[in-house]
Amino acid sequence: MVLNRKLLTISRSCSSFARLKINKSSDYISPPHKTSNIRHIRFGRYSDETPEELTLRLYSTQISEWNHRYWESQNKMYLSLKQDLLSEIEQCGLDEDEHIDLAMQEFYKTYLLSNRNNFNTYTREWTKANLKMIYLALRAKKSRLFRIRSSR
């Protein structure tokens, strides 16, 4: 199911956001979230949405939220650990960029290795979710085509 996608670049604090006329059959994509770096998607819906399209829209929303929560959690943890390391470096008095770069390289390598299982699990789950979404999208498209064909 391909719907129109529109990028929302207006901040929520802007008064013109409240007056923005929203087409409910279009997807709206927000700017990246400040912590997760994931763009929230408000999935559009047809006025005559089929049950298969509803299932796809709800599942897509669920997976999008799950993805956002995962990356928000990961990025918070990473930034916290990175800030701790930078504080340690500052306390030790390392001024040379080369030593700081080496410390950051070692930190990043250690972080990736210690979270390898977590990242692998996430990748497997994300792949399964995307395959299911493809299946649901095909079902939704098929239901839309049969609805159009039967209405002729």
Side-chain angles (χ1 to χ4, degrees):
M1 172 170 60
V2 178
L3 297 174
N4 297 329
R5 291 194 175 233
K6 297 181 181 175
L7 185 62
L8 285 180
T9 55
I10 302 170
S11 72
R12 292 197 185 276
S13 62
C14 183
S15 63
S16 62
F17 183 77
R19 293 188 309 253
L20 183 66
K21 186 169 175 129
I22 294 179
N23 179 354
K24 293 188 186 228
S25 66
S26 297
D27 289 351
Y28 287 89
I29 304 170
S30 74
H33 185 269
K34 64 182 179 181
T35 307
S36 70
N37 295 318
I38 299 295
R39 293 176 179 270
H40 287 285
I41 302 173
R42 186 179 153 260
F43 293 98
R45 66 176 92 171
Y46 291 110
S47 57
D48 60 341
E49 186 174 57
T50 65
E52 291 82 2
E53 290 169 334
L54 173 66
T55 303
L56 173 62
R57 182 173 52 81
L58 294 177
Y59 185 72
S60 297
T61 302
Q62 177 186 359
I63 294 304
S64 180
E65 285 301 314
W66 169 77
N67 188 42
H68 164 73
R69 284 191 311 273
Y70 175 82
W71 284 111
E72 184 175 40
S73 166
Q74 284 298 313
N75 290 345
K76 280 181 181 177
M77 181 175 61
Y78 173 79
L79 292 172
S80 172
L81 293 171
K82 182 180 171 184
Q83 189 60 46
D84 292 346
L85 175 69
L86 292 174
S87 297
E88 279 182 40
I89 289 173
E90 191 175 297
Q91 287 175 355
C92 292
L94 288 177
D95 289 335
E96 295 181 31
D97 287 341
E98 186 175 318
H99 293 297
I100 295 171
D101 288 345
L102 288 174
M104 289 302 295
Q105 285 176 3
E106 188 60 34
F107 162 74
Y108 192 63
K109 178 181 175 184
T110 303
Y111 175 78
L112 290 176
L113 289 174
S114 66
N115 286 292
R116 177 187 288 175
N117 290 337
N118 187 8
F119 291 140
N120 287 342
T121 301
Y122 165 80
T123 302
R124 274 192 306 278
E125 294 302 315
W126 182 246
T127 302
K128 286 179 197 175
N130 276 300
L131 291 173
K132 183 174 179 179
M133 234 182 300
I134 290 169
Y135 171 73
L136 293 174
L138 290 172
R139 283 185 52 206
K141 191 64 163 174
K142 180 180 170 186
S143 71
R144 173 67 50 184
L145 289 172
F146 282 127
R147 177 175 277 189
I148 291 170
R149 186 176 278 176
S150 66
S151 66
R152 288 184 181 177

